[in-house]
């Protein structure tokens, strides 16, 4: 729960657990590692988590509950969906007539209490619980959800088999198939999946989720229901049910108890039947801030300075699925002020942003990135976001817009920041225009974060230190100028992270600032190697080096950084 450092220090001093000098040291360590002061206090052994919670509960006159000492009945978990419990960090553990007993990390959060009362229809009695107890108990939701998921799927497959409808379209509109697809989607959303794959195998249908960048097998279904399940997706996406020979793309919306999301559909033919991939787009989610994405202070200042300019082009680059669009949304969120006119042309629209004119690309009616961009210029925008520059026409219009007083944000597919310049030239951009219009190129990748529930530190092996040295040499970075971590961190694997050792994702970045020295080299048509060397001299930190900084602070592992940066 929120508490000022001064309040916390007083509570600990009154309990004779710490002195001023020790608390100052803990504050410094918290700032250095980016951790909470309370986490450092517990980690350094000044106080146990349970005793700290009891002290805080006593100070704020709020009852404390030790969730490990009680058995929570499954019926109480049903008062709140798992995604609500996880996002609000709350656990319903009891009921007394018209009042629910709720364990919370922050029992003083009035907005959360009001939300829970409106959501459940009951009065809420808050209790303070420790973060680890909340984490451990949230697993019950996932366990219960997994059991319920398998039960509902099995039950509806059985019903489908009993009805044995020969008409695929009728079967797709039948309740059991509807329930199967809805249950799969709800389970995907609860597990923070970004994609759902429904794949025809020789004798079964395989459902897989992409979670934190990796596909995981979730469940196998009877092959007999595959045509009806695919047909159900096609009906929702307004696609042709009787077309099985060519790929089809569409989209639909799906609502849970707490949110409404857009789903992009891709259907392709395969050897054993059609395959569907559903991309889950959390349209109601709040965009991340730039610091949340993982940008370190030096790069953050460069980006903020370029965003403050009224014109120029800022490009986010990298492979598919590396978070480029999320970075652009974070910028739009900052730039979105009443005095500016912002227009976007996207494919797809992933977040709804108030006061921003957002347009969806529709190639079937001729609404392309280039055509949408050209139309925006007639509406006097200050800021334009183009989902992707993928052809000569879009590149030329974007460059001319940046040259004529507009701030243009877009994405591009390149491996590194310097490659942005040469990719634009490959698309047909005029070389004499680029130096005066391109302001910034941001290359990025996504790495998995270490699970904080099972994190441990270890001494870096000599073999790994050698690998790091070789990689630094390969990318042209002097080893003496980089801090190579002697100790690193990893996740041991636990129930919370599905025994992977990782939980969540964060970006690593390479920011190319188009300063006068770089601009002069671009004008002189320098080679890629010359530009890269100059960018390093001007302070650009390569992706691998940015990743090393996050390894040193215990955010990710060296294995993750090597996985996404090695070529």
């Amino acid at each position: 729960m929120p508490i000022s450092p001064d309040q916390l220090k007083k509570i600990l001093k009154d309990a004779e657990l710490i002195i001023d000098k020790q608390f100052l040291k803990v504050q410094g360590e918290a700032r250095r590692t980016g951790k909470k002061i309370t986490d450092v206090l517990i980690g350094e052994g000044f106080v146990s988590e349970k005793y700290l919670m009891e002290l805080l509960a006593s100070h704020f006159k709020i009852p404390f509950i030790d969730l490990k000492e009680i058995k929570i009945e499954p019926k109480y978990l049903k008062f709140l969906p798992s995604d609500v419990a996880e996002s609000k960090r709350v656990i319903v553990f009891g009921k007394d007539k018209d009042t629910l007993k709720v364990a919370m990390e922050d029992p003083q959060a009035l907005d959360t209490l009001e939300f829970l009362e409106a959501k459940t229809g009951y009065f809420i009695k808050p209790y303070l619980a420790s973060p680890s107890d909340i984490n451990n108990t949230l697993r019950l939701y996932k366990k219960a959800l997994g059991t319920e998921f398998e039960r509902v799927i099995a039950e509806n497959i059985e019903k489908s088999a009993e009805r044995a409808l020969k008409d695929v379209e009728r079967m797709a509109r039948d309740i059991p198939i509807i329930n199967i697809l809805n249950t799969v989607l709800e389970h995907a959303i609860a597990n923070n999946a970004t994609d759902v794959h429904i794949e025809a195998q020789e004798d079964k249908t395989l459902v897989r989720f992409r979670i934190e960048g990796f596909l995981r097998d979730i469940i196998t279904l009877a092959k007999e229901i595959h045509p009806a399940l695919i047909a159900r997706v096609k009906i929702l996406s307004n696609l042709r049910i009787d077309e099985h020979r060519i790929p089809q793309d569409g989209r639909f919306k799906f609502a849970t108890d707490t949110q409404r999301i857009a789903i992009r559909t891709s259907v392709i033919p395969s050897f054993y039947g059609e395959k569907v991939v559903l991309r889950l787009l959390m349209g109601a989610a709040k965009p991340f801030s730039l610091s949340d994405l993982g940008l370190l202070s030096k790069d953050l200042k460069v980006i903020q300075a370029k965003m403050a300019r009224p014109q120029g082009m800022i490009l986010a680059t990298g492979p598919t699925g590396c978070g480029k669009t999320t970075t652009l949304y974070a910028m739009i969120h900052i730039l979105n002020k009443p005095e500016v006119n912002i227009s976007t042309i996207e494919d797809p629209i992933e977040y709804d942003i108030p006061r921003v004119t957002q347009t969806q690309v529709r190639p079937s009616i001729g609404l392309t990135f280039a055509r949408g961009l050209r139309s925006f210029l007639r509406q006097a925008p200050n800021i334009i976001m183009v989902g992707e520059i993928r052809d000569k026409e879009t590149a030329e219009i974007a460059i001319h817009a940046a040259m004529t007083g507009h701030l243009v944000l877009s994405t591009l597919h390149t491996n590194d920041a310097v490659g942005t310049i040469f990719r634009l030239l490959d698309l047909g951009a005029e070389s004499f225009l680029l130096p005066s219009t391109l302001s910034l190129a941001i290359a990025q990748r996504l790495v998995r974060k270490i699970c904080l529930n099972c994190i441990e530190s270890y001494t870096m092996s000599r073999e790994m230190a050698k690998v790091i040295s070789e990689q630094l040499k390969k990318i042209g970075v002097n080893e003496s100028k980089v801090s190579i971590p002697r100790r690193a961190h990893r996740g041991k694997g636990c129930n919370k992270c599905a025994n992977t050792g990782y939980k969540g994702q964060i970006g690593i970045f390479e920011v190319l600032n188009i300063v006068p020295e770089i601009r002069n080299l671009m004008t002189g048509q320098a080679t890629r190697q010359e530009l890269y060397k100059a960018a390093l001299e001007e302070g650009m930190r390569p992706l691998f080096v940015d990743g090393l900084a996050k390894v040193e602070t215990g955010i990710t592992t060296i294995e993750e950084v090597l996985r996404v940066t090695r070529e």
Side-chain angles (χ1 to χ4, degrees), residues 219-251:
I219 197 168
T220 56
L221 307 176
K223 184 67 180 287
E224 291 73 24
I225 71 165
H226 186 83
L229 197 57
I230 301 300
R232 178 63 191 165
V233 172
K234 289 181 177 180
I235 289 171
L236 292 172
S237 308
N238 292 317
L239 303 179
R240 287 184 55 184
I241 297 177
D242 59 346
E243 179 57 75
H244 308 287
R245 300 166 301 166
I246 61 174
Q248 297 187 74
D249 297 318
R251 58 190 293 134

Side-chain angles (χ1 to χ4, degrees), residues 209-365:
F209 294 168
R210 187 178 296 281
I211 300 172
E212 296 170 357
F214 288 81
L215 280 171
R216 301 179 189 175
D217 291 357
I218 300 300
I219 197 168
T220 56
L221 307 176
K223 184 67 180 287
E224 291 73 24
I225 71 165
H226 186 83
L229 197 57
I230 301 300
R232 178 63 191 165
V233 172
K234 289 181 177 180
I235 289 171
L236 292 172
S237 308
N238 292 317
L239 303 179
R240 287 184 55 184
I241 297 177
D242 59 346
E243 179 57 75
H244 308 287
R245 300 166 301 166
I246 61 174
Q248 297 187 74
D249 297 318
R251 58 190 293 134
F252 64 96
K253 291 192 174 180
F254 182 79
T256 68
D257 290 336
T258 59
Q259 59 186 318
R260 183 176 175 84
I261 67 169
I263 298 178
R264 188 171 63 188
T265 305
S266 173
V267 184
I268 61 170
S270 68
F271 187 74
Y272 291 113
E274 290 174 288
K275 173 181 176 178
V276 163
V277 175
L278 303 172
R279 169 63 61 89
L280 309 183
L281 307 169
M282 305 301 180
K286 180 182 176 181
F288 290 97
S289 69
L290 287 174
S291 56
D292 288 339
L293 298 179
L295 282 157
L296 300 180
S297 59
K298 181 183 175 183
D299 290 336
L300 193 56
K301 288 176 183 176
V302 171
I303 293 171
Q304 289 170 336
K306 294 295 185 178
M307 286 169 54
R309 297 178 60 185
Q311 65 186 56
M313 188 159 60
I314 299 175
L315 299 180
T317 77
T320 301
C322 70
K324 300 185 297 293
T325 304
T326 302
T327 299
L328 295 189
Y329 273 119
M331 293 182 190
I332 291 290
H333 182 63
I334 295 168
L335 295 166
N336 187 15
K337 298 176 182 177
E339 60 268 24
V340 296
N341 177 17
I342 303 177
S343 296
T344 75
I345 178 80
E346 306 174 55
D347 184 26
I349 296 171
E350 296 190 23
Y351 298 101
D352 300 324
I353 311 176
R355 287 202 309 270
V356 175
T357 302
Q358 296 176 268
T359 302
Q360 169 71 47
V361 166
R362 297 185 188 278
S364 59
I365 60 172

Side-chain angles (χ1 to χ4, degrees), residues 110-255:
L110 295 178
D111 56 339
T112 301
L113 293 172
E114 289 173 359
F115 172 84
L116 294 176
E117 288 186 346
K119 181 73 179 173
T120 63
Y122 287 83
F123 293 112
I124 302 297
K125 183 177 181 180
Y127 289 73
L128 178 64
S130 69
S132 63
D133 277 2
I134 294 284
N135 289 335
N136 290 331
T137 310
L138 283 171
R139 295 175 193 166
L140 294 175
Y141 273 101
K142 296 209 169 181
K143 184 177 180 182
L145 181 64
T147 303
E148 181 69 5
F149 171 69
E150 292 174 0
R151 185 192 67 77
V152 171
I153 294 291
E155 184 179 284
N156 283 282
I157 287 177
E158 187 178 338
K159 289 179 180 177
S160 295
E162 288 173 358
R163 301 192 185 194
L165 296 176
K166 293 183 180 180
D167 186 334
V168 171
E169 183 173 353
R170 279 184 59 203
M171 194 172 178
R173 298 181 188 277
D174 208 25
I175 295 298
I177 294 297
I178 292 173
N179 285 343
I180 289 172
L181 182 60
N182 288 354
T183 305
V184 167
L185 291 176
E186 288 169 359
H187 194 51
I189 293 166
N191 282 277
N192 297 315
T194 56
D195 303 88
V196 175
H197 292 235
I198 303 174
E199 306 171 14
Q201 308 284 304
E202 182 178 8
D203 56 353
K204 62 189 177 186
T205 292
L206 175 63
V207 177
R208 298 195 288 169
F209 294 168
R210 187 178 296 281
I211 300 172
E212 296 170 357
F214 288 81
L215 280 171
R216 301 179 189 175
D217 291 357
I218 300 300
I219 197 168
T220 56
L221 307 176
K223 184 67 180 287
E224 291 73 24
I225 71 165
H226 186 83
L229 197 57
I230 301 300
R232 178 63 191 165
V233 172
K234 289 181 177 180
I235 289 171
L236 292 172
S237 308
N238 292 317
L239 303 179
R240 287 184 55 184
I241 297 177
D242 59 346
E243 179 57 75
H244 308 287
R245 300 166 301 166
I246 61 174
Q248 297 187 74
D249 297 318
R251 58 190 293 134
F252 64 96
K253 291 192 174 180
F254 182 79

Side-chain angles (χ1 to χ4, degrees), residues 90-110:
V90 298
I91 301 290
V92 179
F93 66 89
K95 179 176 174 292
D96 184 12
K97 296 182 180 179
D98 58 354
T99 300
L100 294 180
K101 298 177 180 179
V102 181
M104 306 174 65
E105 278 190 6
D106 182 10
Q108 294 182 322
L110 295 178

Side-chain angles (χ1 to χ4, degrees), residues 536-556:
L536 292 180
E537 291 173 355
E538 293 299 326
M540 183 184 80
R541 182 171 43 226
L543 286 164
F544 181 68
V545 176
D546 190 60
L548 280 182
K550 293 178 172 69
V551 170
E552 188 173 25
T553 54
I555 294 173
T556 189

Side-chain angles (χ1 to χ4, degrees), residues 306-497:
K306 294 295 185 178
M307 286 169 54
R309 297 178 60 185
Q311 65 186 56
M313 188 159 60
I314 299 175
L315 299 180
T317 77
T320 301
C322 70
K324 300 185 297 293
T325 304
T326 302
T327 299
L328 295 189
Y329 273 119
M331 293 182 190
I332 291 290
H333 182 63
I334 295 168
L335 295 166
N336 187 15
K337 298 176 182 177
E339 60 268 24
V340 296
N341 177 17
I342 303 177
S343 296
T344 75
I345 178 80
E346 306 174 55
D347 184 26
I349 296 171
E350 296 190 23
Y351 298 101
D352 300 324
I353 311 176
R355 287 202 309 270
V356 175
T357 302
Q358 296 176 268
T359 302
Q360 169 71 47
V361 166
R362 297 185 188 278
S364 59
I365 60 172
L367 181 52
T368 61
F369 282 121
R371 187 171 180 180
L373 181 52
R374 190 181 291 109
S375 298
F376 289 163
L377 297 176
R378 303 188 190 108
Q379 298 200 347
N382 302 103
I383 300 163
I384 298 169
M385 186 182 103
V386 184
E388 182 185 347
I389 295 177
R390 59 174 67 154
D391 54 51
K392 180 180 180 180
E393 187 180 9
T394 308
E396 286 180 343
I397 300 170
I399 289 169
H400 281 90
M403 189 172 60
T404 55
H406 304 86
L407 181 60
V408 179
L409 311 177
S410 190
T411 70
L412 202 66
H413 286 283
T414 66
N415 288 330
D416 57 14
V418 171
T420 303
I421 298 165
F422 297 92
R423 176 61 179 150
L424 288 171
L425 292 173
D426 289 342
L427 288 173
E430 297 289 353
S431 59
F432 65 91
L433 292 178
L434 273 184
S436 60
T437 53
L438 183 61
S439 295
L440 197 67
I442 307 167
Q444 63 184 84
R445 301 289 190 276
L446 284 178
V447 293
R448 291 177 294 172
K449 295 194 295 184
I450 298 171
C451 173
L452 295 179
N453 192 57
C454 60
I455 189 171
E456 65 176 7
S457 65
Y458 67 98
T459 302
M460 186 83 71
S461 68
R462 290 183 180 179
E463 291 77 11
M464 183 57 75
K466 185 179 178 181
V467 169
I468 293 172
S469 296
E470 289 173 351
Q471 183 66 12
L472 289 172
K473 185 177 180 181
K474 185 177 180 181
I475 63 176
V477 174
N478 189 327
E479 188 175 326
S480 64
K481 296 181 179 180
V482 178
S483 175
I484 299 178
R486 293 184 178 181
R487 291 193 66 78
H489 299 78
R490 62 192 170 201
K492 291 183 289 187
C494 62
N495 291 335
K496 188 179 178 184
C497 61

